[in-house]
Each structure stands twice: as structure tokens, then as C-alpha cells.
Amino acid sequence: DQQVKQNSPSLSVQEGRISILNCDYTNSMFDYFLWYKKYPAEGPTFLISISSIKDKNEDGRFTVFLNKSAKHLSLHIVPSQPGDSAVYFCAASAKYNFNKFYFGSGTKLNVKP
Amino acid sequence: DVKVTQSSRYLVKRTGEKVFLECVQDMDHENMFWYRQDPGLGLRLIYFSYDVKMKEKGDIPEGYSVSREKKERFSLILESASTNQTSMYLCASLRQANEKLFFGSGTQLSVL
């Protein structure tokens, strides 16, 4: 039972344009959401997070949007750079079971120069 | 920032061998985790520990065990390695609820 889904396995974007990565979840108890970036043969690195009390969080080129009614979050990268090419995972957790993180299957972003 | 160190980046083992993967974190976090990552499957939780000597099974514990004798160290043990355990293994630590997981650099294990 996959509670967090990333339906796009891959995304290709031109350098300088916007990258939009999407994530859907099913559990309405999730109250904390995160995005991680992962390069091959390395561990995931934290990008940005959002609490369910907010609908937007911004950090430099990265913005995460949360739509609780649709159980959907998205990561916007503007402008995209070739160094952003990596696999992006979204994750969710709930305070009542905070040790359990649910990860999506990942979206591989390719930013073309 | 928190440092999570995994002892090996790459390991090659034979089927049936006992394999130890070590992980150390330096920020006094209570919670530590072992995940495996396979293409198209995301990160799947094997085991986690919320205190010294305390452990709980994750989603895919079969064929694995763990040990947490000291707060900073969390070990993953493959009792008898099999080829379907070839994977990227990721250790992580967490301070408390609604905070981020810190990951190590991963161990790419190949079982031949």
C-alpha cells in the first residue's frame, strides 16, 4: 500500500526554465512533508520541507506547495540548472508515528544545458 | 550540521556470507534508521531504533537484523547474504518529530 506516490518517473527540462515535480499522498494524518535530492551512489540530501499548517515554503530557487484538500504537493525549481539533475524523492510523516517516513518512488530530473 | 557516517561506500560479498553494515551519527539523535533503495521502488524501511537496545521492524525486515549498543552507532546485519539483497543501503538519523532525516552517503552492496 503506497501512501506516497510520484507518478512521473522522469522529467526533462531546459536549463533556465521551471521544473515542477509532483507528489500525491493518501493519508490525511500526514502533517510533515519533505523533498530530498539524490545523486547516483550518494545518500539523499535534504532540500526543503513543509508543515501541514502552511501551504507554501520557499528556500532560494526551491518552493514547495502543499494542497491538503487534494493531498498533493509539488516542488518548483526556478531557474533549473544542470547541477539539479538528480532523483528527487518526496516523503511524508505523521506526528503520531513520527518515526515512520513514507517515501515516493522518485522522479529523475534531467536539466539540459 | 549532523554527520551520519557509513563505514563502507562499496561492498562485494558472496552468497551465504554474514555481512555487517555500520553507521555512526555525531549529533546525539535518539532515532536511527536503515533503508534500502532500489530503482523504481523508492526508499524502503528495514529497521529503526528509537533508543539504545530498542528496535522496531520496518516494512522489509526479513533476512536482516540490527544492533544498537551505543546511542551513536546502529548496525545492520545480513545473517546470510542473498543475491536479492544487492542494493543501496542508507542509514539515517532523526532528532524528533517534524524534523528532517539526515542520511549517510550510502553503501552499495553487491551479493554475488
Side-chain angles (χ1 to χ4, degrees), chain A residues 31-32 34 36 38 41-44 46 89 95 98-101 103-105, chain B residues 9-10 31 33 35 37 40 42 48 59 88 97-101 103-105:
Chain A
D31 57 5
Y32 186 59
L34 313 90
Y36 284 86
K38 187 181 182 300
E42 292 186 14
F46 171 77
F89 292 99
K95 205 162 193 174
F98 70 92
N99 268 309
K100 193 76 193 291
F101 286 78
F103 284 85
S105 54
Chain B
R9 292 296 297 271
Y10 300 95
N31 309 283
F33 305 78
Y35 290 88
Q37 189 226 338
F48 72 94
D59 300 315
M88 166 70 88
N98 283 12
E99 291 193 0
K100 61 189 179 186
L101 278 170
F103 284 92
S105 53

PDB file of all heavy atoms in Angstrom, chain A residues 31-32 34 36 38 41-44 46 89 95 98-101 103-105, chain B residues 9-10 31 33 35 37 40 42 48 59 88 97-101 103-105:
ATOM      1  N   ASP A  31       1.398  15.203   8.402  1.00  0.00           N
ATOM      2  CA  ASP A  31       1.446  16.622   8.718  1.00  0.00           C
ATOM      3  C   ASP A  31       2.823  17.234   8.474  1.00  0.00           C
ATOM      4  O   ASP A  31       3.063  18.390   8.822  1.00  0.00           O
ATOM      5  CB  ASP A  31       0.997  16.866  10.164  1.00  0.00           C
ATOM      6  CG  ASP A  31       1.833  16.097  11.176  1.00  0.00           C
ATOM      7  OD1 ASP A  31       2.822  15.442  10.778  1.00  0.00           O
ATOM      8  OD2 ASP A  31       1.494  16.139  12.371  1.00  0.00           O
ATOM      9  N   TYR A  32       3.717  16.460   7.908  1.00  0.00           N
ATOM     10  CA  TYR A  32       5.054  16.986   7.631  1.00  0.00           C
ATOM     11  C   TYR A  32       5.550  16.342   6.349  1.00  0.00           C
ATOM     12  O   TYR A  32       5.487  15.107   6.199  1.00  0.00           O
ATOM     13  CB  TYR A  32       5.991  16.664   8.804  1.00  0.00           C
ATOM     14  CG  TYR A  32       7.368  17.268   8.716  1.00  0.00           C
ATOM     15  CD1 TYR A  32       7.547  18.642   8.622  1.00  0.00           C
ATOM     16  CD2 TYR A  32       8.494  16.457   8.755  1.00  0.00           C
ATOM     17  CE1 TYR A  32       8.808  19.188   8.560  1.00  0.00           C
ATOM     18  CE2 TYR A  32       9.763  17.003   8.699  1.00  0.00           C
ATOM     19  CZ  TYR A  32       9.916  18.372   8.596  1.00  0.00           C
ATOM     20  OH  TYR A  32      11.174  18.922   8.542  1.00  0.00           O
ATOM     21  N   LEU A  34       8.550  16.402   3.072  1.00  0.00           N
ATOM     22  CA  LEU A  34       9.932  16.759   2.772  1.00  0.00           C
ATOM     23  C   LEU A  34      10.252  16.392   1.326  1.00  0.00           C
ATOM     24  O   LEU A  34       9.651  15.484   0.753  1.00  0.00           O
ATOM     25  CB  LEU A  34      10.918  15.998   3.667  1.00  0.00           C
ATOM     26  CG  LEU A  34      10.665  15.939   5.164  1.00  0.00           C
ATOM     27  CD1 LEU A  34       9.819  14.713   5.528  1.00  0.00           C
ATOM     28  CD2 LEU A  34      11.967  15.888   5.915  1.00  0.00           C
ATOM     29  N   TYR A  36      13.786  15.401  -0.945  1.00  0.00           N
ATOM     30  CA  TYR A  36      15.202  15.063  -0.919  1.00  0.00           C
ATOM     31  C   TYR A  36      15.687  14.949  -2.359  1.00  0.00           C
ATOM     32  O   TYR A  36      14.950  14.551  -3.261  1.00  0.00           O
ATOM     33  CB  TYR A  36      15.437  13.724  -0.214  1.00  0.00           C
ATOM     34  CG  TYR A  36      15.348  13.789   1.279  1.00  0.00           C
ATOM     35  CD1 TYR A  36      14.126  13.657   1.931  1.00  0.00           C
ATOM     36  CD2 TYR A  36      16.492  13.986   2.053  1.00  0.00           C
ATOM     37  CE1 TYR A  36      14.050  13.723   3.317  1.00  0.00           C
ATOM     38  CE2 TYR A  36      16.418  14.044   3.437  1.00  0.00           C
ATOM     39  CZ  TYR A  36      15.193  13.909   4.061  1.00  0.00           C
ATOM     40  OH  TYR A  36      15.119  13.978   5.423  1.00  0.00           O
ATOM     41  N   LYS A  38      18.815  13.172  -4.678  1.00  0.00           N
ATOM     42  CA  LYS A  38      19.795  12.098  -4.582  1.00  0.00           C
ATOM     43  C   LYS A  38      20.562  11.960  -5.896  1.00  0.00           C
ATOM     44  O   LYS A  38      19.964  11.752  -6.955  1.00  0.00           O
ATOM     45  CB  LYS A  38      19.113  10.778  -4.226  1.00  0.00           C
ATOM     46  CG  LYS A  38      20.108   9.656  -3.947  1.00  0.00           C
ATOM     47  CD  LYS A  38      19.412   8.372  -3.636  1.00  0.00           C
ATOM     48  CE  LYS A  38      20.441   7.299  -3.309  1.00  0.00           C
ATOM     49  NZ  LYS A  38      21.374   7.042  -4.436  1.00  0.00           N
ATOM     50  N   ALA A  41      24.909   6.854  -6.358  1.00  0.00           N
ATOM     51  CA  ALA A  41      25.934   6.369  -5.432  1.00  0.00           C
ATOM     52  C   ALA A  41      26.173   7.324  -4.260  1.00  0.00           C
ATOM     53  O   ALA A  41      27.245   7.296  -3.648  1.00  0.00           O
ATOM     54  CB  ALA A  41      27.247   6.095  -6.163  1.00  0.00           C
ATOM     55  N   GLU A  42      25.204   8.179  -3.958  1.00  0.00           N
ATOM     56  CA  GLU A  42      25.301   9.040  -2.778  1.00  0.00           C
ATOM     57  C   GLU A  42      24.023   8.930  -1.965  1.00  0.00           C
ATOM     58  O   GLU A  42      22.990   8.483  -2.466  1.00  0.00           O
ATOM     59  CB  GLU A  42      25.508  10.498  -3.184  1.00  0.00           C
ATOM     60  CG  GLU A  42      26.850  10.767  -3.834  1.00  0.00           C
ATOM     61  CD  GLU A  42      27.062  12.250  -4.093  1.00  0.00           C
ATOM     62  OE1 GLU A  42      26.313  13.071  -3.548  1.00  0.00           O
ATOM     63  OE2 GLU A  42      27.984  12.582  -4.858  1.00  0.00           O
ATOM     64  N   GLY A  43      24.089   9.366  -0.708  1.00  0.00           N
ATOM     65  CA  GLY A  43      22.881   9.396   0.099  1.00  0.00           C
ATOM     66  C   GLY A  43      22.002  10.585  -0.245  1.00  0.00           C
ATOM     67  O   GLY A  43      22.479  11.569  -0.810  1.00  0.00           O
ATOM     68  N   PRO A  44      20.705  10.518   0.057  1.00  0.00           N
ATOM     69  CA  PRO A  44      19.809  11.654  -0.198  1.00  0.00           C
ATOM     70  C   PRO A  44      20.205  12.861   0.640  1.00  0.00           C
ATOM     71  O   PRO A  44      20.619  12.717   1.793  1.00  0.00           O
ATOM     72  CB  PRO A  44      18.439  11.129   0.234  1.00  0.00           C
ATOM     73  CG  PRO A  44      18.562   9.649   0.248  1.00  0.00           C
ATOM     74  CD  PRO A  44      19.978   9.362   0.604  1.00  0.00           C
ATOM     75  N   PHE A  46      18.755  16.592   2.037  1.00  0.00           N
ATOM     76  CA  PHE A  46      17.514  17.320   2.306  1.00  0.00           C
ATOM     77  C   PHE A  46      17.466  18.602   1.487  1.00  0.00           C
ATOM     78  O   PHE A  46      18.448  19.331   1.374  1.00  0.00           O
ATOM     79  CB  PHE A  46      17.441  17.650   3.795  1.00  0.00           C
ATOM     80  CG  PHE A  46      16.323  18.572   4.159  1.00  0.00           C
ATOM     81  CD1 PHE A  46      15.024  18.108   4.241  1.00  0.00           C
ATOM     82  CD2 PHE A  46      16.585  19.911   4.414  1.00  0.00           C
ATOM     83  CE1 PHE A  46      14.000  18.970   4.575  1.00  0.00           C
ATOM     84  CE2 PHE A  46      15.566  20.777   4.747  1.00  0.00           C
ATOM     85  CZ  PHE A  46      14.268  20.307   4.825  1.00  0.00           C
ATOM     86  N   PHE A  89      13.045  12.692  -4.298  1.00  0.00           N
ATOM     87  CA  PHE A  89      12.081  11.904  -3.541  1.00  0.00           C
ATOM     88  C   PHE A  89      11.244  12.839  -2.669  1.00  0.00           C
ATOM     89  O   PHE A  89      11.786  13.722  -2.006  1.00  0.00           O
ATOM     90  CB  PHE A  89      12.797  10.917  -2.606  1.00  0.00           C
ATOM     91  CG  PHE A  89      13.530   9.819  -3.323  1.00  0.00           C
ATOM     92  CD1 PHE A  89      14.898   9.910  -3.530  1.00  0.00           C
ATOM     93  CD2 PHE A  89      12.855   8.691  -3.769  1.00  0.00           C
ATOM     94  CE1 PHE A  89      15.587   8.890  -4.182  1.00  0.00           C
ATOM     95  CE2 PHE A  89      13.537   7.673  -4.427  1.00  0.00           C
ATOM     96  CZ  PHE A  89      14.901   7.783  -4.628  1.00  0.00           C
ATOM     97  N   LYS A  95       2.738  13.077  12.967  1.00  0.00           N
ATOM     98  CA  LYS A  95       3.276  13.295  14.308  1.00  0.00           C
ATOM     99  C   LYS A  95       2.992  12.114  15.246  1.00  0.00           C
ATOM    100  O   LYS A  95       3.800  11.787  16.112  1.00  0.00           O
ATOM    101  CB  LYS A  95       2.685  14.567  14.899  1.00  0.00           C
ATOM    102  CG  LYS A  95       3.566  15.208  15.949  1.00  0.00           C
ATOM    103  CD  LYS A  95       3.168  16.647  16.178  1.00  0.00           C
ATOM    104  CE  LYS A  95       4.228  17.373  16.974  1.00  0.00           C
ATOM    105  NZ  LYS A  95       3.957  18.814  17.096  1.00  0.00           N
ATOM    106  N   PHE A  98       5.939   9.507  14.270  1.00  0.00           N
ATOM    107  CA  PHE A  98       6.907  10.352  13.565  1.00  0.00           C
ATOM    108  C   PHE A  98       8.140   9.601  13.098  1.00  0.00           C
ATOM    109  O   PHE A  98       8.900  10.122  12.291  1.00  0.00           O
ATOM    110  CB  PHE A  98       7.330  11.531  14.444  1.00  0.00           C
ATOM    111  CG  PHE A  98       8.199  11.151  15.625  1.00  0.00           C
ATOM    112  CD1 PHE A  98       9.574  11.158  15.524  1.00  0.00           C
ATOM    113  CD2 PHE A  98       7.619  10.804  16.827  1.00  0.00           C
ATOM    114  CE1 PHE A  98      10.377  10.829  16.604  1.00  0.00           C
ATOM    115  CE2 PHE A  98       8.404  10.479  17.918  1.00  0.00           C
ATOM    116  CZ  PHE A  98       9.787  10.478  17.809  1.00  0.00           C
ATOM    117  N   ASN A  99       8.351   8.395  13.614  1.00  0.00           N
ATOM    118  CA  ASN A  99       9.491   7.611  13.157  1.00  0.00           C
ATOM    119  C   ASN A  99       9.264   6.951  11.811  1.00  0.00           C
ATOM    120  O   ASN A  99      10.171   6.347  11.249  1.00  0.00           O
ATOM    121  CB  ASN A  99       9.817   6.512  14.168  1.00  0.00           C
ATOM    122  CG  ASN A  99      10.841   6.961  15.187  1.00  0.00           C
ATOM    123  OD1 ASN A  99      11.890   7.464  14.806  1.00  0.00           O
ATOM    124  ND2 ASN A  99      10.535   6.795  16.448  1.00  0.00           N
ATOM    125  N   LYS A 100       8.060   7.010  11.317  1.00  0.00           N
ATOM    126  CA  LYS A 100       7.736   6.337  10.071  1.00  0.00           C
ATOM    127  C   LYS A 100       7.617   7.376   8.961  1.00  0.00           C
ATOM    128  O   LYS A 100       6.689   8.176   8.937  1.00  0.00           O
ATOM    129  CB  LYS A 100       6.425   5.565  10.223  1.00  0.00           C
ATOM    130  CG  LYS A 100       6.170   4.593   9.092  1.00  0.00           C
ATOM    131  CD  LYS A 100       7.018   3.343   9.204  1.00  0.00           C
ATOM    132  CE  LYS A 100       7.013   2.516   7.925  1.00  0.00           C
ATOM    133  NZ  LYS A 100       5.734   1.883   7.635  1.00  0.00           N
ATOM    134  N   PHE A 101       8.587   7.347   8.064  1.00  0.00           N
ATOM    135  CA  PHE A 101       8.561   8.216   6.892  1.00  0.00           C
ATOM    136  C   PHE A 101       8.139   7.385   5.682  1.00  0.00           C
ATOM    137  O   PHE A 101       8.641   6.273   5.483  1.00  0.00           O
ATOM    138  CB  PHE A 101       9.949   8.822   6.627  1.00  0.00           C
ATOM    139  CG  PHE A 101      10.331   9.903   7.595  1.00  0.00           C
ATOM    140  CD1 PHE A 101      10.783   9.585   8.856  1.00  0.00           C
ATOM    141  CD2 PHE A 101      10.232  11.238   7.238  1.00  0.00           C
ATOM    142  CE1 PHE A 101      11.137  10.581   9.756  1.00  0.00           C
ATOM    143  CE2 PHE A 101      10.577  12.240   8.121  1.00  0.00           C
ATOM    144  CZ  PHE A 101      11.042  11.908   9.387  1.00  0.00           C
ATOM    145  N   PHE A 103       8.093   7.265   1.665  1.00  0.00           N
ATOM    146  CA  PHE A 103       8.774   7.865   0.522  1.00  0.00           C
ATOM    147  C   PHE A 103       8.073   7.505  -0.782  1.00  0.00           C
ATOM    148  O   PHE A 103       7.580   6.383  -0.953  1.00  0.00           O
ATOM    149  CB  PHE A 103      10.221   7.366   0.440  1.00  0.00           C
ATOM    150  CG  PHE A 103      11.136   7.991   1.444  1.00  0.00           C
ATOM    151  CD1 PHE A 103      11.234   7.489   2.732  1.00  0.00           C
ATOM    152  CD2 PHE A 103      11.895   9.104   1.104  1.00  0.00           C
ATOM    153  CE1 PHE A 103      12.071   8.075   3.667  1.00  0.00           C
ATOM    154  CE2 PHE A 103      12.744   9.697   2.025  1.00  0.00           C
ATOM    155  CZ  PHE A 103      12.829   9.186   3.306  1.00  0.00           C
ATOM    156  N   GLY A 104       8.070   8.446  -1.716  1.00  0.00           N
ATOM    157  CA  GLY A 104       7.674   8.156  -3.069  1.00  0.00           C
ATOM    158  C   GLY A 104       8.782   7.387  -3.783  1.00  0.00           C
ATOM    159  O   GLY A 104       9.884   7.232  -3.252  1.00  0.00           O
ATOM    160  N   SER A 105       8.475   6.949  -4.987  1.00  0.00           N
ATOM    161  CA  SER A 105       9.439   6.125  -5.736  1.00  0.00           C
ATOM    162  C   SER A 105      10.483   6.962  -6.472  1.00  0.00           C
ATOM    163  O   SER A 105      11.415   6.414  -7.053  1.00  0.00           O
ATOM    164  CB  SER A 105       8.693   5.226  -6.722  1.00  0.00           C
ATOM    165  OG  SER A 105       7.840   6.001  -7.540  1.00  0.00           O
TER     166      SER A 105
ATOM    167  N   ARG B   9      31.562   2.500   1.358  1.00  0.00           N
ATOM    168  CA  ARG B   9      30.795   3.010   0.222  1.00  0.00           C
ATOM    169  C   ARG B   9      30.384   1.877  -0.709  1.00  0.00           C
ATOM    170  O   ARG B   9      29.299   1.893  -1.270  1.00  0.00           O
ATOM    171  CB  ARG B   9      31.610   4.035  -0.568  1.00  0.00           C
ATOM    172  CG  ARG B   9      31.865   5.336   0.169  1.00  0.00           C
ATOM    173  CD  ARG B   9      30.572   6.088   0.447  1.00  0.00           C
ATOM    174  NE  ARG B   9      29.865   6.498  -0.748  1.00  0.00           N
ATOM    175  CZ  ARG B   9      30.075   7.652  -1.374  1.00  0.00           C
ATOM    176  NH1 ARG B   9      30.979   8.488  -0.946  1.00  0.00           N
ATOM    177  NH2 ARG B   9      29.366   7.974  -2.449  1.00  0.00           N
ATOM    178  N   TYR B  10      31.288   0.918  -0.891  1.00  0.00           N
ATOM    179  CA  TYR B  10      31.036  -0.219  -1.773  1.00  0.00           C
ATOM    180  C   TYR B  10      31.463  -1.505  -1.068  1.00  0.00           C
ATOM    181  O   TYR B  10      32.505  -1.538  -0.419  1.00  0.00           O
ATOM    182  CB  TYR B  10      31.807  -0.078  -3.090  1.00  0.00           C
ATOM    183  CG  TYR B  10      31.454   1.161  -3.881  1.00  0.00           C
ATOM    184  CD1 TYR B  10      32.221   2.321  -3.751  1.00  0.00           C
ATOM    185  CD2 TYR B  10      30.362   1.180  -4.747  1.00  0.00           C
ATOM    186  CE1 TYR B  10      31.884   3.470  -4.467  1.00  0.00           C
ATOM    187  CE2 TYR B  10      30.030   2.322  -5.454  1.00  0.00           C
ATOM    188  CZ  TYR B  10      30.796   3.458  -5.306  1.00  0.00           C
ATOM    189  OH  TYR B  10      30.463   4.586  -6.012  1.00  0.00           O
ATOM    190  N   ASN B  31      16.917   8.618  17.356  1.00  0.00           N
ATOM    191  CA  ASN B  31      16.332   7.735  16.358  1.00  0.00           C
ATOM    192  C   ASN B  31      17.279   7.467  15.204  1.00  0.00           C
ATOM    193  O   ASN B  31      17.859   8.410  14.646  1.00  0.00           O
ATOM    194  CB  ASN B  31      15.055   8.363  15.801  1.00  0.00           C
ATOM    195  CG  ASN B  31      14.105   8.796  16.892  1.00  0.00           C
ATOM    196  OD1 ASN B  31      13.427   7.975  17.478  1.00  0.00           O
ATOM    197  ND2 ASN B  31      14.085  10.094  17.169  1.00  0.00           N
ATOM    198  N   PHE B  33      17.886   4.777  11.585  1.00  0.00           N
ATOM    199  CA  PHE B  33      17.120   4.010  10.617  1.00  0.00           C
ATOM    200  C   PHE B  33      18.051   3.326   9.613  1.00  0.00           C
ATOM    201  O   PHE B  33      19.122   3.850   9.307  1.00  0.00           O
ATOM    202  CB  PHE B  33      16.203   4.949   9.799  1.00  0.00           C
ATOM    203  CG  PHE B  33      15.295   5.811  10.618  1.00  0.00           C
ATOM    204  CD1 PHE B  33      15.784   6.954  11.246  1.00  0.00           C
ATOM    205  CD2 PHE B  33      13.959   5.497  10.760  1.00  0.00           C
ATOM    206  CE1 PHE B  33      14.951   7.767  12.007  1.00  0.00           C
ATOM    207  CE2 PHE B  33      13.119   6.297  11.513  1.00  0.00           C
ATOM    208  CZ  PHE B  33      13.615   7.429  12.139  1.00  0.00           C
ATOM    209  N   TYR B  35      17.482   1.976   5.655  1.00  0.00           N
ATOM    210  CA  TYR B  35      16.652   1.860   4.472  1.00  0.00           C
ATOM    211  C   TYR B  35      17.452   1.144   3.388  1.00  0.00           C
ATOM    212  O   TYR B  35      18.676   1.153   3.391  1.00  0.00           O
ATOM    213  CB  TYR B  35      16.293   3.248   3.905  1.00  0.00           C
ATOM    214  CG  TYR B  35      15.330   4.059   4.730  1.00  0.00           C
ATOM    215  CD1 TYR B  35      15.781   4.899   5.748  1.00  0.00           C
ATOM    216  CD2 TYR B  35      13.959   4.019   4.468  1.00  0.00           C
ATOM    217  CE1 TYR B  35      14.885   5.669   6.483  1.00  0.00           C
ATOM    218  CE2 TYR B  35      13.062   4.786   5.200  1.00  0.00           C
ATOM    219  CZ  TYR B  35      13.542   5.607   6.203  1.00  0.00           C
ATOM    220  OH  TYR B  35      12.652   6.366   6.938  1.00  0.00           O
ATOM    221  N   GLN B  37      17.455   1.215  -0.953  1.00  0.00           N
ATOM    222  CA  GLN B  37      16.911   1.916  -2.101  1.00  0.00           C
ATOM    223  C   GLN B  37      17.174   1.107  -3.356  1.00  0.00           C
ATOM    224  O   GLN B  37      18.317   0.750  -3.647  1.00  0.00           O
ATOM    225  CB  GLN B  37      17.540   3.306  -2.265  1.00  0.00           C
ATOM    226  CG  GLN B  37      16.837   4.131  -3.331  1.00  0.00           C
ATOM    227  CD  GLN B  37      17.793   4.814  -4.270  1.00  0.00           C
ATOM    228  OE1 GLN B  37      18.950   5.034  -3.964  1.00  0.00           O
ATOM    229  NE2 GLN B  37      17.297   5.188  -5.440  1.00  0.00           N
ATOM    230  N   GLY B  40      13.163   2.546  -8.894  1.00  0.00           N
ATOM    231  CA  GLY B  40      11.719   2.456  -9.090  1.00  0.00           C
ATOM    232  C   GLY B  40      10.924   2.092  -7.851  1.00  0.00           C
ATOM    233  O   GLY B  40       9.694   2.102  -7.884  1.00  0.00           O
ATOM    234  N   GLY B  42      11.808   3.451  -4.616  1.00  0.00           N
ATOM    235  CA  GLY B  42      11.981   4.435  -3.565  1.00  0.00           C
ATOM    236  C   GLY B  42      12.809   3.890  -2.411  1.00  0.00           C
ATOM    237  O   GLY B  42      13.610   2.975  -2.582  1.00  0.00           O
ATOM    238  N   PHE B  48      14.231   0.341  12.385  1.00  0.00           N
ATOM    239  CA  PHE B  48      14.652   1.565  13.034  1.00  0.00           C
ATOM    240  C   PHE B  48      14.811   1.342  14.532  1.00  0.00           C
ATOM    241  O   PHE B  48      14.343   0.338  15.078  1.00  0.00           O
ATOM    242  CB  PHE B  48      13.710   2.732  12.713  1.00  0.00           C
ATOM    243  CG  PHE B  48      12.370   2.665  13.373  1.00  0.00           C
ATOM    244  CD1 PHE B  48      12.123   3.299  14.584  1.00  0.00           C
ATOM    245  CD2 PHE B  48      11.313   2.010  12.748  1.00  0.00           C
ATOM    246  CE1 PHE B  48      10.872   3.267  15.170  1.00  0.00           C
ATOM    247  CE2 PHE B  48      10.062   1.974  13.321  1.00  0.00           C
ATOM    248  CZ  PHE B  48       9.839   2.596  14.540  1.00  0.00           C
ATOM    249  N   ASP B  59       9.319  -2.090   7.055  1.00  0.00           N
ATOM    250  CA  ASP B  59       8.468  -2.743   6.067  1.00  0.00           C
ATOM    251  C   ASP B  59       9.059  -4.029   5.501  1.00  0.00           C
ATOM    252  O   ASP B  59       8.332  -4.915   5.074  1.00  0.00           O
ATOM    253  CB  ASP B  59       8.203  -1.768   4.906  1.00  0.00           C
ATOM    254  CG  ASP B  59       7.506  -0.519   5.384  1.00  0.00           C
ATOM    255  OD1 ASP B  59       6.539  -0.636   6.169  1.00  0.00           O
ATOM    256  OD2 ASP B  59       7.931   0.588   4.982  1.00  0.00           O
ATOM    257  N   MET B  88      21.365  -0.552  -2.602  1.00  0.00           N
ATOM    258  CA  MET B  88      21.979   0.585  -1.916  1.00  0.00           C
ATOM    259  C   MET B  88      21.358   0.643  -0.518  1.00  0.00           C
ATOM    260  O   MET B  88      20.128   0.709  -0.381  1.00  0.00           O
ATOM    261  CB  MET B  88      21.707   1.883  -2.679  1.00  0.00           C
ATOM    262  CG  MET B  88      21.998   3.145  -1.899  1.00  0.00           C
ATOM    263  SD  MET B  88      23.751   3.430  -1.621  1.00  0.00           S
ATOM    264  CE  MET B  88      24.168   4.335  -3.100  1.00  0.00           C
ATOM    265  N   ALA B  97      10.160  14.610  16.186  1.00  0.00           N
ATOM    266  CA  ALA B  97       9.061  14.720  15.227  1.00  0.00           C
ATOM    267  C   ALA B  97       9.124  16.029  14.453  1.00  0.00           C
ATOM    268  O   ALA B  97       9.605  17.044  14.945  1.00  0.00           O
ATOM    269  CB  ALA B  97       7.726  14.635  15.962  1.00  0.00           C
ATOM    270  N   ASN B  98       8.629  15.965  13.235  1.00  0.00           N
ATOM    271  CA  ASN B  98       8.554  17.123  12.341  1.00  0.00           C
ATOM    272  C   ASN B  98       9.921  17.776  12.106  1.00  0.00           C
ATOM    273  O   ASN B  98      10.048  18.992  12.019  1.00  0.00           O
ATOM    274  CB  ASN B  98       7.544  18.157  12.850  1.00  0.00           C
ATOM    275  CG  ASN B  98       6.121  17.722  12.574  1.00  0.00           C
ATOM    276  OD1 ASN B  98       5.863  16.578  12.211  1.00  0.00           O
ATOM    277  ND2 ASN B  98       5.183  18.628  12.740  1.00  0.00           N
ATOM    278  N   GLU B  99      10.916  16.913  12.031  1.00  0.00           N
ATOM    279  CA  GLU B  99      12.239  17.352  11.618  1.00  0.00           C
ATOM    280  C   GLU B  99      12.737  16.419  10.521  1.00  0.00           C
ATOM    281  O   GLU B  99      12.174  15.361  10.273  1.00  0.00           O
ATOM    282  CB  GLU B  99      13.208  17.370  12.799  1.00  0.00           C
ATOM    283  CG  GLU B  99      12.876  18.443  13.807  1.00  0.00           C
ATOM    284  CD  GLU B  99      13.983  18.692  14.801  1.00  0.00           C
ATOM    285  OE1 GLU B  99      15.036  18.034  14.731  1.00  0.00           O
ATOM    286  OE2 GLU B  99      13.795  19.568  15.656  1.00  0.00           O
ATOM    287  N   LYS B 100      13.810  16.832   9.875  1.00  0.00           N
ATOM    288  CA  LYS B 100      14.273  16.073   8.725  1.00  0.00           C
ATOM    289  C   LYS B 100      15.138  14.888   9.129  1.00  0.00           C
ATOM    290  O   LYS B 100      15.810  14.898  10.151  1.00  0.00           O
ATOM    291  CB  LYS B 100      15.061  16.990   7.788  1.00  0.00           C
ATOM    292  CG  LYS B 100      16.294  17.598   8.424  1.00  0.00           C
ATOM    293  CD  LYS B 100      16.901  18.654   7.511  1.00  0.00           C
ATOM    294  CE  LYS B 100      18.127  19.276   8.159  1.00  0.00           C
ATOM    295  NZ  LYS B 100      18.650  20.403   7.377  1.00  0.00           N
ATOM    296  N   LEU B 101      15.121  13.892   8.290  1.00  0.00           N
ATOM    297  CA  LEU B 101      16.041  12.771   8.385  1.00  0.00           C
ATOM    298  C   LEU B 101      17.389  13.208   7.806  1.00  0.00           C
ATOM    299  O   LEU B 101      17.435  13.849   6.756  1.00  0.00           O
ATOM    300  CB  LEU B 101      15.540  11.601   7.548  1.00  0.00           C
ATOM    301  CG  LEU B 101      14.482  10.668   8.113  1.00  0.00           C
ATOM    302  CD1 LEU B 101      13.985   9.752   7.012  1.00  0.00           C
ATOM    303  CD2 LEU B 101      15.003   9.871   9.277  1.00  0.00           C
ATOM    304  N   PHE B 103      20.768  11.636   6.225  1.00  0.00           N
ATOM    305  CA  PHE B 103      21.229  10.386   5.643  1.00  0.00           C
ATOM    306  C   PHE B 103      22.741  10.327   5.556  1.00  0.00           C
ATOM    307  O   PHE B 103      23.427  11.343   5.384  1.00  0.00           O
ATOM    308  CB  PHE B 103      20.674  10.221   4.220  1.00  0.00           C
ATOM    309  CG  PHE B 103      19.222   9.822   4.174  1.00  0.00           C
ATOM    310  CD1 PHE B 103      18.235  10.785   4.110  1.00  0.00           C
ATOM    311  CD2 PHE B 103      18.866   8.484   4.209  1.00  0.00           C
ATOM    312  CE1 PHE B 103      16.894  10.413   4.075  1.00  0.00           C
ATOM    313  CE2 PHE B 103      17.525   8.102   4.164  1.00  0.00           C
ATOM    314  CZ  PHE B 103      16.544   9.069   4.107  1.00  0.00           C
ATOM    315  N   GLY B 104      23.245   9.099   5.655  1.00  0.00           N
ATOM    316  CA  GLY B 104      24.632   8.846   5.319  1.00  0.00           C
ATOM    317  C   GLY B 104      24.820   8.776   3.813  1.00  0.00           C
ATOM    318  O   GLY B 104      23.852   8.913   3.047  1.00  0.00           O
ATOM    319  N   SER B 105      26.048   8.535   3.398  1.00  0.00           N
ATOM    320  CA  SER B 105      26.359   8.549   1.968  1.00  0.00           C
ATOM    321  C   SER B 105      26.002   7.238   1.271  1.00  0.00           C
ATOM    322  O   SER B 105      26.089   7.140   0.053  1.00  0.00           O
ATOM    323  CB  SER B 105      27.831   8.875   1.752  1.00  0.00           C
ATOM    324  OG  SER B 105      28.621   8.005   2.523  1.00  0.00           O
TER     325      SER B 105
END
